[in-house]
Amino acid sequence: MKVILFGAAGTVGRGVLRQCLLDDRVTAVLAVGPAPTGVVHDRLREIVRADLLDLAPVEAGLRGHDACFFCPGGPGRPRAAGETLARLNPGSAFVYVSGARVDRAAEEALLALPLRSYVFRPGPVRPEGGVTARTGLHRLAYIVVRPLYPVLRRVLPATATTPGQIGRAMITVAERGAPRRVLGPADINAL
């Protein structure tokens, strides 16, 4: 499967990229974002593009992919990417990681496109594998909340997930679908 990954430089995106490169089902990854990932791998190609609302200049590179994993925030961006990919790769899978401030209109617009669209609402995401948040505020939040993750995992195992679990679930959903199109932490962890 050939995958486009938006947001590979973020906390969730880096975990998803790592899983894509570890999984033999993924034959190629095209990372698209405003900054390079810093990762070198024979299955990874990158397009550095600051403006994710206008993908027209890079459309040729987006053709022929089986799935798109969209990890960066911002409600207008997933819709712009989804509309472009629906035109270029109709019927492909599109998995959007929605944030804490859910934009239901953006989700509904994505689910209405001629794509096999899914929305992931992961809840609290515990960084793993040495991945840290890029902004100071998020880094501080992870440091403060880190001791609570083991408690959350025991008391409410369905409420927290990791970037690696999100990545593995995205690959599985792109390959064979899911029982629902909007998936929460328990659904993601089960996949």
Side-chain angles (χ1 to χ4, degrees), residues 29-69:
V29 179
L30 172 63
V32 181
T37 64
V39 175
V40 177
H41 195 281
D42 60 335
R43 288 189 283 160
L44 175 64
R45 197 168 52 89
E46 297 189 56
I47 294 176
V48 177
R49 174 114 184 110
D51 185 359
L52 297 182
L53 292 174
D54 178 16
L55 297 172
V58 297
E59 280 188 5
L62 303 176
R63 290 185 190 281
H65 288 81
D66 306 299
C68 175
F69 302 153

Side-chain angles (χ1 to χ4, degrees), residues 28-176:
V29 179
L30 172 63
V32 181
T37 64
V39 175
V40 177
H41 195 281
D42 60 335
R43 288 189 283 160
L44 175 64
R45 197 168 52 89
E46 297 189 56
I47 294 176
V48 177
R49 174 114 184 110
D51 185 359
L52 297 182
L53 292 174
D54 178 16
L55 297 172
V58 297
E59 280 188 5
L62 303 176
R63 290 185 190 281
H65 288 81
D66 306 299
C68 175
F69 302 153
F70 198 93
C71 300
R77 292 185 262 178
R79 183 183 240 163
E83 288 170 354
T84 299
L85 294 171
R87 190 169 32 79
L88 299 175
N89 304 313
S92 63
F94 190 97
V95 185
Y96 167 49
V97 178
S98 190
R101 294 181 301 264
V102 174
D103 180 353
R104 300 251 191 253
E107 290 182 356
E108 288 173 17
L110 287 171
L111 294 172
L113 292 171
L115 297 166
R116 292 179 295 115
S117 299
Y118 296 90
V119 174
F120 277 27
R121 294 184 189 152
V125 177
R126 179 178 50 88
E128 62 186 349
V131 173
T132 59
R134 295 178 69 114
T135 65
L137 183 59
H138 283 122
R139 242 178 288 160
L140 178 62
Y142 286 135
I143 289 168
V144 170
V145 176
R146 182 178 295 148
L148 299 176
Y149 277 112
V151 174
L152 271 176
R153 301 281 300 169
R154 279 199 191 109
V155 177
L156 302 167
T159 62
T161 189
T162 67
Q165 288 172 304
I166 293 169
R168 289 187 295 276
M170 287 179 142
I171 295 166
T172 299
V173 165
E175 181 183 51
R176 63 177 185 233

